[in-house]
Amino acid sequence: MTPSKIRSLDIHLLAQLFEQAPDVAFFVKDTEGRYLTVNTSLAQRHGLENSEDAIGKRPRDICVGRFGLVPTDQDSEVLQTGRPLVDHLEMQWHLPHEPVWCLTTKLPVVDDEGNVIGLVGFSRDVRSPVEIHEIPEEFAAALEYFEGNLTEFNTPSALAERSNLSLQRLARLTKRLFGLTPSQFISKTRIAVASRLLYETDKPISEIALTSGFYDQSAFTRAFRIATGVTPTEYRKQARQAD
């Protein structure tokens, strides 16, 4: 068999490919974490008129506050260590004021000598690919109950028991329906509820923490920062400024 002559693909060809995936923000970056190419979806999420406006810039240059610093720090980690970031659940800001949950993957690009010369990656929107009527009835009822009683579900086992499912069956369902593990789904739901309360109400952070199912404000702040890159207070301020 004749070896394939395809050794590499032009990065702009990859960007054209991802133009057909509006729910994915695609990018290639150089050793300094600057964009070499992006698809239209990424540009639109940052309020840019066209993809070229992002070229040569870092995330912190086109996204205000911590929402821009977090992906910039992620890039530095991948570029310095050569370790990939795979399916990292995080909240991103889709201008003008729409928080979007994504699974982000970033892979180092290496040359023939093994040196990291850039990175390639994408952030995929987390959205249910099926209609609600396709969700098993007991599972749907458990999800509805969960969203109104976040304090009662600390583990995937608790959610599985409420759904009358095995852990394995629960894991298959959350992966197929939401693209998430049970733990990721629980975390996303709690943070999503908290972010809505931060944006829509003036309730104290401590009260929102308990309402969202966290033990205390410190645990809430840690989890919220991991998911969004900002503290609850910073999120409230930036969300209202963006609005």
Side-chain angles (χ1 to χ4, degrees):
M1 180 180 296
T2 303
S4 172
K5 295 182 179 180
I6 300 178
R7 294 290 183 181
S8 61
L9 290 175
D10 185 277
I11 59 175
H12 299 293
L13 179 60
L14 289 175
Q16 290 179 35
L17 173 65
F18 279 94
E19 287 297 326
Q20 309 307 314
D23 61 337
V24 172
F26 169 78
F27 50 84
V28 179
K29 301 176 184 179
D30 63 15
T31 54
E32 300 298 322
R34 295 171 297 206
Y35 292 110
L36 295 175
T37 188
V38 304
N39 66 346
T40 300
S41 178
L42 185 145
Q44 290 177 341
R45 290 159 191 257
H46 292 87
L48 303 177
E49 291 188 5
N50 53 68
S51 302
E52 287 71 25
D53 292 336
I55 306 307
K57 299 177 181 177
R58 299 177 179 87
R60 70 186 185 202
D61 299 323
I62 61 175
C63 190
V64 298
R66 290 287 302 171
F67 286 108
L69 291 177
V70 170
T72 301
D73 292 343
Q74 287 177 351
D75 296 342
S76 296
E77 180 75 12
V78 173
L79 290 167
Q80 290 174 11
T81 66
R83 292 194 296 267
L85 179 74
V86 179
D87 274 353
H88 176 66
L89 179 65
E90 60 188 13
M91 182 188 291
Q92 298 182 358
W93 202 245
H94 192 165
L95 293 180
H97 55 75
E98 180 187 355
V100 177
W101 284 93
C102 301
L103 287 172
T104 295
T105 292
K106 298 180 178 181
L107 305 177
V109 178
V110 298
D111 60 18
D112 292 339
E113 285 72 42
N115 301 310
V116 178
I117 58 174
L119 65 84
V120 59
F122 60 85
S123 292
R124 173 172 55 85
D125 291 351
V126 175
R127 292 174 180 167
S128 177
V130 297
E131 298 296 331
I132 190 67
H133 63 77
E134 296 183 59
I135 301 177
E137 185 175 342
E138 284 188 295
F139 185 47
L143 295 183
E144 183 177 0
Y145 182 84
F146 169 49
E147 292 180 0
N149 301 271
L150 297 177
T151 58
E152 296 186 27
F153 295 90
N154 297 320
T155 64
S157 297
L159 183 57
E161 183 177 355
R162 180 77 189 191
S163 306
N164 197 26
L165 298 169
S166 67
L167 273 174
Q168 293 79 8
R169 173 63 172 157
L170 176 69
R172 288 195 296 270
L173 272 174
T174 58
K175 192 67 175 179
R176 181 172 71 86
L177 298 174
F178 308 108
L180 301 171
T181 66
S183 294
Q184 286 176 327
F185 174 76
I186 291 173
S187 176
K188 170 186 175 295
T189 302
R190 285 179 168 168
I191 298 298
V193 168
S195 64
R196 189 184 72 248
L197 293 174
L198 287 167
Y199 177 67
E200 296 178 352
T201 76
D202 292 316
K203 292 181 178 181
I205 304 297
S206 57
E207 181 179 341
I208 291 176
L210 296 177
T211 301
S212 304
F214 294 92
Y215 293 114
D216 54 33
Q217 184 172 339
S218 296
F220 170 51
T221 298
R222 288 194 298 271
F224 197 89
R225 184 191 287 275
I226 290 173
T228 69
V230 297
T231 66
T233 301
E234 290 171 331
Y235 176 87
R236 171 174 273 169
K237 180 180 178 180
Q238 292 185 21
R240 292 180 177 179
Q241 285 178 339
D243 191 31

